[in-house]
């Protein structure tokens, strides 16, 4: 059985998070066939890696803006 084309990289953190949320709901539903479950797990791992990378990039930018110090957000 031929594999479908590789999913493209997310265009934003929010888009990746939304897709990851949908995958989790589908996987938790317990109705996916095993091969789709495995594909969903792989895609979820890719999306999680993308989100972590984006968060680390933003954190690095904040450190630069704050002269190398990562400051805590004030509680509201």
């Amino acid at each position: 059985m031929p594999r479908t084309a590789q999913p493209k990289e997310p265009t934003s953190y929010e888009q990746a998070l939304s897709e990851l949320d949908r995958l989790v709901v589908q996987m938790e539903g317990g109705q996916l066939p095993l091969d789709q479950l495995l594909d969903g797990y792989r895609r979820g791992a890719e999306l999680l890696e993308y989100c972590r990378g984006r968060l680390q990039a933003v954190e690095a930018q904040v450190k630069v803006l704050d002269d190398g110090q990562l400051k805590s957000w004030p509680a509201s």
Side-chain angles (χ1 to χ4, degrees):
M1 173 161 58
R3 287 262 178 199
T4 58
Q6 289 289 339
K8 62 181 181 176
E9 186 166 304
T11 56
S12 69
Y13 174 84
E14 292 78 13
Q15 190 263 329
L17 194 57
S18 177
E19 184 180 345
L20 189 55
D21 283 340
R22 283 192 306 272
L23 275 172
V24 168
V25 168
Q26 289 175 343
M27 293 171 74
E28 285 180 342
Q31 299 300 315
L32 291 177
L34 186 59
D35 60 337
Q36 287 181 5
L37 188 61
L38 183 56
D39 288 345
Y41 180 83
R42 287 182 183 141
R43 180 62 176 163
E46 292 169 358
L47 292 167
L48 187 56
E49 183 178 334
Y50 174 86
C51 288
R52 285 180 177 157
R54 291 299 303 142
L55 288 173
Q56 288 171 348
V58 168
E59 183 178 295
Q61 290 175 3
V62 169
K63 282 182 182 179
V64 168
L65 293 173
D66 286 337
D67 295 324
Q69 301 287 325
L70 186 59
K71 299 176 184 176
S72 298
W73 292 101
S76 359

